[in-house]
């Protein structure tokens, strides 16, 4: 079955089948994966410094939960606003500015003497991280046609798991050896390094829209979908619900998981940092498998409704059901195994929801719709760490507070998975391009 934007538009300098084109496409993908690693290492950092930082600054669990939510205060607003701006300015330059702000935003935390400076650091970095996901996906999708976006999307999302599995243990050793401020300094240095690499290698590919100033010398005419139609359809709503639910769980994991390992399961700080990436270990396998399977199904003629809607809904529902059993498990190893399965499978929603949303509009509107999608869904990250902190302050034991939070997240995920399967139908809701949208390869 032919898909909307499989054909090469004007402005492609190399044939998509050429080795040079493929090497460049995967090279840009690799750099974008590194951006995901940096962003999610920053998110993981707060959980890794929770205990020493809270002790030094006298923060309660609820206060620390509020700090975890600070990153999301401007996250959604900048995500939407900057993504719409990226429809006129090349995402390459916008992403470069974001990367530099990730680095600069760590400075207040490095020199923080009060909680207020930490809040300022988290708000600034969160504001810069907001547009990163939709803009990265916009550039990523510009190098691959619709039926080949699942695997690149999976690899990009797996950057979060790489950050937790490979780099979080190293960052933990830095924090233990040099103090919690050294963690922020390290992440800032990595963000600056990525920015320089992106400046040298970042480009937008031929499957995207040419911005007013950017990487395509020959802009082409495309039709535009009214935003009301693009946003108020069942596919977008179903994807938004699912992404909201997974983001709520992800915010809890990034903010509270190391503390859960220490305070509820009894591990030391060093071991807790090493274990931090375990729930994401299965996520890498699940992401790559789901992305590859989805792409293969689409190339063999299976509809996006089945390959993305039904399969994605089944994965999310299964992940939610698994997490609801966590309050019944008290032994450390089975609890970690259950978290690995539940959280690991839940992250596959990225390989289903994001490409489905991208199908709804022409390439010229892709940055805008992905920005709205990400900006609205991350609002879950504001509430879930605060609710978890509130539960911890009022629970009889730390274990009871943590497992209650995971139980609620599991129920939310399961319900969202069912709705995702029922609502997502890209063939019904996506734009129908005219002949002028694409030219034969």
């Amino acid at each position: 079955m032919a898909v909307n934007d499989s054909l090469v538009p004007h402005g492609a300098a190399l044939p998509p089948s050429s080795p040079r084109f493929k090497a460049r496409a995967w090279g840009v993908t690799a750099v974008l994966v590194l951006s995901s690693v940096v962003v999610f290492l920053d998110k993981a950092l707060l959980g890794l410094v929770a205990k020493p930082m809270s002790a030094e600054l006298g923060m309660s669990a609820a206060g620390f939960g509020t700090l975890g939510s600070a990153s999301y205060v401007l996250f959604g607003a900048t995500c939407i606003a900057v993504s719409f701006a990226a429809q006129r300015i090349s995402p390459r330059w916008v992403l470069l500015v974001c990367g530099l702000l990730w680095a600069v935003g760590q400075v207040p935390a490095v020199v923080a003497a009060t909680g207020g400076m930490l809040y300022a650091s988290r708000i600034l970095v969160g504001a810069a991280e907001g547009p990163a996901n939709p803009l990265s996906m916009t550039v990523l999708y510009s190098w691959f046609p619709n039926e080949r976006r699942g695997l690149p999307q999976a690899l990009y999302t797996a950057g979060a798991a790489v950050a937790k599995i490979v780099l979080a243990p190293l960052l933990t050793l830095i924090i233990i050896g040099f103090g919690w401020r050294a963690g922020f300094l390290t992440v800032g240095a990595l963000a600056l390094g990525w920015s320089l690499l992106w400046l040298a290698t970042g480009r937008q590919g031929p499957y995207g829209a040419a911005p007013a100033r950017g990487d395509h010398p020959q802009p082409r005419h495309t039709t535009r979908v009214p935003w009301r139609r693009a946003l108020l359809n069942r596919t977008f709503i179903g994807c938004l619900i699912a992404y909201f639910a997974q983001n709520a769980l992800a915010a809890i994991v990034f903010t509270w998981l190391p503390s859960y390992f220490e305070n509820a399961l009894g591990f030391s700080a060093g071991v807790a940092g090493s274990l931090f990436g375990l729930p994401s270990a299965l996520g890498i396998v699940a992401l790559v498998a789901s992305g590859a399977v989805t792409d293969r199904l689409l190339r063999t003629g299976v509809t996006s409704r089945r390959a993305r809607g039904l399969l994605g809904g089944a994965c999310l529902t299964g992940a939610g059901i698994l997490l609801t059993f966590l309050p019944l498990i008290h032994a450390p190893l089975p609890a970690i195994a259950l978290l690995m399965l539940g959280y690991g499978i839940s992250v596959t929603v990225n390989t289903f929801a994001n490409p489905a949303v991208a199908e709804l509009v022409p390439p010229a509107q892709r940055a805008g719709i992905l920005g709205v999608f990400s900006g609205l869904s991350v609002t879950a990250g504001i509430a879930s760490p605060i609710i978890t902190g509130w539960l911890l302050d009022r629970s009889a034991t730390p274990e009871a507070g943590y497992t209650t939070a995971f139980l609620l997240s599991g129920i939310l995920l399961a319900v969202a998975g069912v709705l995702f399967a029922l609502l997502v139908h890209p063939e019904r809701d996506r734009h129908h391009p005219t002949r002028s949208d694409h030219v034969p390869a």
Side-chain angles (χ1 to χ4, degrees):
M1 175 181 173
V3 292
N4 288 351
D5 46 9
S6 297
L7 301 177
V8 182
H10 290 296
L14 296 170
S17 59
S18 70
R20 287 182 61 195
F21 181 91
K22 292 179 179 179
R24 190 169 187 181
W26 286 108
V28 173
T29 300
V31 178
L32 290 173
V33 170
L34 290 178
S35 77
S36 178
V37 171
V38 173
V39 167
F40 281 92
L41 185 63
D42 173 76
K43 294 180 183 293
L45 172 61
L46 199 59
L48 296 176
V49 301
K51 195 168 184 177
M53 186 177 68
S54 296
E56 180 177 328
L57 300 180
M59 301 179 70
S60 66
F64 180 77
T66 303
L67 181 62
S69 299
S71 297
Y72 298 93
V73 170
L74 295 178
F75 193 106
T78 57
C79 185
I80 296 171
V82 175
S83 294
F84 274 101
Q87 294 181 150
R88 299 183 177 275
I89 304 172
S90 172
R92 175 193 181 194
W93 301 113
V94 181
L95 276 172
L96 176 62
V97 173
C98 290
L100 293 173
L101 288 176
W102 302 339
V104 173
Q106 307 298 334
V107 174
V110 173
V111 299
T114 63
M117 298 181 72
L118 286 170
Y119 284 109
S121 172
R122 292 294 85 196
I123 290 173
L124 176 58
V125 173
E129 288 176 349
N133 188 51
L135 293 183
S136 295
M137 288 186 292
T138 298
V139 176
L140 189 69
Y141 294 168
S142 75
W143 286 100
F144 299 92
N146 182 52
E147 72 275 15
R148 293 185 181 274
R149 289 175 184 158
L151 182 56
Q153 172 70 65
L155 294 175
Y156 173 76
T157 307
V162 172
K164 287 185 283 185
I165 295 171
V166 179
L167 295 182
L170 298 177
L171 192 59
T172 300
L173 294 177
I174 292 173
I175 293 168
I176 293 174
F178 301 96
W180 60 267
R181 298 174 195 274
F184 290 96
L185 185 62
T186 301
V187 173
L190 291 174
L192 180 60
W194 178 86
S195 300
L196 298 176
L197 179 62
W198 179 251
L199 178 63
T201 62
R203 297 292 186 278
Q204 191 163 342
Y207 292 103
R213 293 181 308 220
D215 306 311
H216 295 290
Q218 303 178 43
R220 69 187 188 277
H221 171 74
T222 58
T223 58
R224 298 182 70 87
V225 175
W227 282 109
R228 180 177 179 181
R229 175 184 165 192
L231 303 177
L232 298 181
N233 61 74
R234 282 174 282 180
T235 294
F236 185 86
I237 293 171
C239 290
L240 183 61
I241 292 171
Y243 218 52
F244 182 93
Q246 207 284 323
N247 271 312
L249 173 63
I252 294 173
V253 167
F254 279 112
T255 305
W256 290 108
L257 192 60
S259 298
Y260 168 65
F261 287 148
E262 282 190 69
N263 301 328
L265 300 185
F267 293 104
S268 66
V271 175
S274 300
L275 293 175
F276 187 35
L278 278 184
S280 297
L282 182 65
I284 295 179
V285 178
L287 281 165
V288 174
S290 62
V293 168
T294 301
D295 285 353
R296 182 173 180 82
L297 290 173
L298 290 170
R299 291 198 299 270
T300 57
V302 176
T303 63
S304 189
R305 158 71 177 154
R306 293 184 178 182
R308 287 172 176 155
L310 296 182
L311 182 58
C315 289
L316 201 62
T317 302
I321 292 173
L322 287 171
L323 288 173
T324 60
F325 287 102
L326 196 59
L328 305 178
I329 308 297
H330 303 288
L333 292 182
I336 293 173
L338 199 60
L339 266 176
M340 286 180 64
L341 285 171
Y343 179 77
I345 296 173
S346 77
V347 299
T348 61
V349 70
N350 291 275
T351 64
F352 302 115
N354 289 304
V357 168
E359 286 189 66
L360 299 176
V361 296
Q365 295 175 268
R366 192 176 293 152
I369 196 170
L370 289 173
V372 173
F373 177 61
S374 296
L376 293 178
S377 59
V378 297
T379 55
I382 298 176
S384 60
I386 296 176
I387 293 173
T388 302
W390 185 86
L391 290 171
L392 284 169
D393 283 339
R394 287 159 179 78
S395 296
T397 64
E399 183 184 12
Y402 289 116
T403 55
T404 300
F406 287 125
L407 169 65
L408 296 175
S409 296
I411 294 172
L412 182 61
L413 279 174
V415 173
V418 172
L419 293 174
F420 188 84
L422 293 174
L423 296 175
V424 174
H425 193 327
E427 286 83 6
R428 176 195 62 211
D429 298 328
R430 71 187 177 193
H431 79 287
H432 298 284
T434 63
R435 185 177 178 83
S436 64
D437 283 312
H438 306 288
V439 297

